[in-house]
Amino acid sequence: MTRTKIKDALQLTPGGAITVKGWVRAYRSNRFVALNDGSSLANLQVVVDFENFDKSIIDQITVGSAISVTGDLVASQGAGQSVEVAATSVEILGTANPDEVAKTILQPKRHSLEFLREQAHLRFRTQTFSAVFRIRHAMAFAIHKYFNDNGFFYLHTPIITGSDAEGAGEMFKVTTLPLDNVPKDESGNIDYKEDFFGKETNLTVSGQLEAELGALALGQVYTFGPTFRAENSNTSRHLAEFWMIEPEVAFADLTDDMKLGEDFMQYVIKYALDNCKEDLEFLHNREVELDSKKPTAERNEMPLMDRLNFVVDNDFERITYTEAIQVLQNSKPFKKNQFKFPVEWGVDLASEHERFLVEKHFKKPVIIYNYPKEIKAFYMRNNDDGKTVAAMDVLFPGIGEIIGGSQREERYEELLKKCKDFDIPEEHVWWYLETRKFGTVPHAGFGLGFERLIMFVTGMTNIRDVIPFPRTPKNAEF
Ligand code: 4AD
Ligand code: MG
């Protein structure tokens, strides 16, 4: 008999035989099996009447084992489900030794997220992580749908590049040179001519520069790919390998860019509310329960689904960097010397400042724009004031920066000057500069950190818990 997915089985009306396959989540009274196949959060109850089965079969139905069950779909007597399967045959697909299971997170009880991370190979089997990763999938789909429906083309930008798009130099090198005997040139420098690509290469920190080339022909493009940063930041918001979505639009300025960012974020969050209800409700209730055990000051002001609805229903606040500094300087924590980092025009905002603006002052997503040019990347368009660039960051409650973007410097001479100011060798970006010579136009784009979006949508507070296999300093186990 063909297999019915548990998600679909739960929607059927009683009557008729079905076959389901899955992993045993729990097993009680030698009779009731909670079976899950990953298709949905909910388990299907399977009733295995031990009197009708060989003891050898019954003994192998243990937590973590995989089984195939054929039986009649009947109305359930118990609470919590409308249908269940009365097993007529059970096949053991894969056993799981109870003594070994006892040492793992497969044991059906609450485990700490830290413990779950140590068993990242098994954590998909838990309710929390299956919910997170089903939502992650839905969000990736929503992103492609949004751009496709709005006439954007998906552009695959390279993972191995020869340029440093963000100019921050925090890159992973890609080389086939022997590490124990690196060839040197006459002046003692590494001779990259002998390397695989005949030049120095690294893993990309952003697909933006290549996306710009695409946008200046295809009009509207976006990238969605893995991104690598070798920064040594061991925080709950940084990964060494993360996924970034970078739309790039020709004939657009900073105002258009901010509008796109807001519309896009509201669309994908609404998509989650409309399409991931069961998983979101589970994560919502989980958070409410965890919050109830915390001191009031540490609780979320709004529960998960209210936060998502709030972002969908309310306009984002827009303020310039200069206004943001003023708000901060007039704030209580500033006057009481409670900020750790300085607040004055020209400094990069620290996470404590961003959180104050978003969570305490405006209490909604905030777009800060027109930043001092010194603290932003070389490709951002100079404003006429001579001090700021047409940059924007979108800040979200509980997350901080979720999007970073800008209008790009489309004027050849200005861009050339910026390359010099930022010590970017012309020969590294000659191809980028050339687009400014042949039919240059105003254009703008941004980058969304996919995992930060998933953190916001799922309410998970550590970025390591929203990517299947996190890469962070000193951690690449799985
Ligand atoms: O602000 P960033 O560095 O901007 C860029 O890379 C631009 N080239 C984007 C563009 O304009 N096309 O990064 C964009 C976003 C951040 O706002 C953040 O959400 C995420 O990428 N991000 C990270 N996420 C996880 N771990 C890290 N180490 C991240 N660094 C940036
Ligand atoms: Mg940024």
Side-chain angles (χ1 to χ4, degrees):
M1 196 181 285
T2 53
R3 167 188 168 219
T4 303
K5 294 216 183 77
I6 287 176
K7 181 183 183 179
D8 301 328
L10 290 167
Q11 303 301 319
L12 295 174
T13 43
I18 61 168
T19 295
V20 290
K21 298 181 183 185
W23 294 271
V24 175
R25 275 279 168 78
Y27 183 36
R28 60 185 173 85
S29 314
N30 252 359
R31 218 179 148 81
F32 301 108
V33 178
L35 197 67
N36 191 284
D37 67 0
S39 59
S40 72
L41 184 83
N43 303 324
L44 178 66
Q45 174 154 291
V46 174
V47 184
V48 185
D49 206 333
F50 61 94
E51 284 159 6
N52 303 337
F53 289 87
D54 275 359
K55 187 170 179 309
S56 66
I57 295 278
I58 295 290
D59 286 350
Q60 292 180 82
I61 304 176
T62 55
V63 168
S65 63
I67 62 175
S68 172
V69 179
T70 300
D72 294 322
L73 192 71
V74 297
S76 176
Q77 311 297 313
Q81 67 267 326
S82 59
V83 290
E84 62 189 24
V85 173
T88 50
S89 86
V90 175
E91 188 191 339
I92 307 294
L93 301 175
T95 57
N97 180 319
D99 293 336
E100 286 180 41
V101 165
K103 292 179 219 145
T104 72
I105 60 172
L106 295 177
Q107 254 195 316
K109 63 169 207 180
R110 178 152 284 168
H111 304 284
S112 73
L113 293 171
E114 288 77 14
F115 187 42
L116 290 165
R117 237 170 264 149
E118 288 170 19
Q119 297 187 12
H121 57 306
L122 298 176
R123 65 179 181 170
F124 300 105
R125 296 264 193 103
T126 66
Q127 285 191 300
T128 301
F129 284 91
S130 68
V132 166
F133 291 118
R134 274 188 298 269
I135 293 173
R136 184 178 164 112
H137 159 78
M139 290 290 88
F141 180 78
I143 287 165
H144 285 300
K145 180 162 168 54
Y146 176 86
F147 287 122
N148 183 61
D149 290 354
N150 286 285
F152 283 71
F153 301 106
Y154 180 24
L155 195 73
H156 295 90
T157 50
I159 290 170
I160 300 172
T161 73
S163 60
D164 176 5
E166 292 304 299
E170 290 162 330
M171 298 180 297
F172 291 99
K173 247 184 199 140
V174 175
T175 181
T176 54
L177 292 178
L179 287 179
D180 52 1
N181 186 20
V182 178
K184 301 272 175 72
D185 63 15
E186 279 146 26
S187 29
N189 298 318
I190 298 172
D191 187 3
Y192 285 106
K193 283 203 190 65
E194 295 202 17
D195 205 349
F196 189 90
F197 296 106
K199 63 180 288 192
E200 195 177 348
T201 51
N202 45 266
L203 295 178
T204 186
V205 294
S206 158
Q208 179 199 319
L209 302 190
E210 293 89 352
E212 283 187 51
L213 312 183
L216 292 172
L218 296 163
Q220 305 187 116
V221 300
Y222 70 103
T223 73
F224 188 166
T227 309
F228 306 87
R229 306 240 168 132
E231 55 193 338
N232 197 7
S233 337
N234 237 323
T235 80
S236 58
R237 292 176 177 75
H238 288 88
L239 289 166
E241 175 179 300
F242 63 101
W243 287 67
M244 186 152 56
I245 296 100
E246 296 184 274
E248 194 66 36
V249 187
F251 317 110
D253 63 12
L254 187 67
T255 309
D256 300 320
D257 203 33
M258 293 194 279
K259 193 155 165 282
L260 177 68
E262 178 170 0
D263 186 59
F264 168 59
M265 291 301 277
Q266 289 180 328
Y267 175 90
V268 295
I269 292 168
K270 174 94 174 35
Y271 185 93
L273 285 164
D274 291 345
N275 294 277
C276 306
K277 206 156 175 285
E278 186 188 34
D279 289 322
L280 280 180
E281 269 168 10
F282 170 79
L283 293 169
H284 175 103
N285 293 334
R286 175 185 176 277
E287 188 188 271
V288 170
E289 194 198 318
L290 288 174
D291 267 5
S292 69
K293 295 179 188 143
K294 288 184 189 161
T296 323
E298 287 170 31
R299 292 182 195 164
N300 288 287
E301 279 189 26
M302 260 188 236
L304 178 62
M305 289 180 62
D306 301 41
R307 293 202 296 280
L308 301 184
N309 276 305
F310 184 86
V311 168
V312 170
D313 294 339
N314 288 279
D315 291 343
F316 296 5
E317 188 72 37
R318 283 166 209 218
I319 54 164
T320 63
Y321 168 89
T322 305
E323 286 162 349
I325 292 292
Q326 283 161 3
V327 170
L328 289 168
Q329 286 178 338
N330 289 323
S331 71
K332 256 200 210 134
F334 180 77
K335 288 179 179 162
K336 288 189 179 168
N337 259 323
Q338 284 164 343
F339 286 135
K340 248 173 79 194
F341 295 95
V343 181
E344 60 195 23
W345 202 95
V347 301
D348 214 350
L349 297 179
S351 137
E352 57 176 354
H353 307 137
E354 297 182 341
R355 296 194 71 156
F356 173 82
L357 291 168
V358 174
E359 287 158 31
K360 297 277 180 293
H361 190 80
F362 292 110
K363 294 183 187 282
K364 52 153 79 168
V366 177
I367 310 182
I368 304 183
Y369 63 100
N370 288 349
Y371 280 81
K373 61 175 192 236
E374 287 79 13
I375 60 172
K376 288 290 183 187
F378 81 98
Y379 51 70
M380 297 188 180
R381 193 181 197 277
N382 283 338
N383 286 326
D384 292 342
D385 62 12
K387 295 194 307 200
T388 61
V389 283
M392 64 116 175
D393 277 2
V394 181
L395 314 180
F396 260 41
I399 307 290
E401 180 192 333
I402 196 161
I403 280 180
S406 69
Q407 185 173 340
R408 318 307 189 188
E409 185 54 81
E410 88 284 14
R411 299 162 294 188
Y412 180 75
E413 294 299 332
E414 296 271 336
L415 187 58
L416 202 59
K417 202 168 153 290
K418 290 198 83 163
C419 287
K420 288 211 179 76
D421 292 347
F422 282 79
D423 279 331
I424 294 170
E426 224 183 296
E427 61 271 22
H428 285 189
V429 289
W430 63 269
W431 41 272
Y432 184 68
L433 287 160
E434 276 211 349
T435 55
R436 274 60 173 173
K437 287 204 233 165
F438 309 129
T440 190
V441 295
H443 59 287
F446 61 77
L448 165 69
F450 188 50
E451 285 74 22
R452 294 197 186 169
L453 170 68
I454 306 305
M455 285 175 79
F456 183 74
V457 172
T458 60
M460 300 302 281
T461 53
N462 193 315
I463 198 161
R464 294 166 178 78
D465 296 332
V466 296
I467 185 163
F469 303 105
R471 298 286 176 258
T472 50
K474 304 276 179 286
N475 171 32
E477 180 67 20
F478 298 98

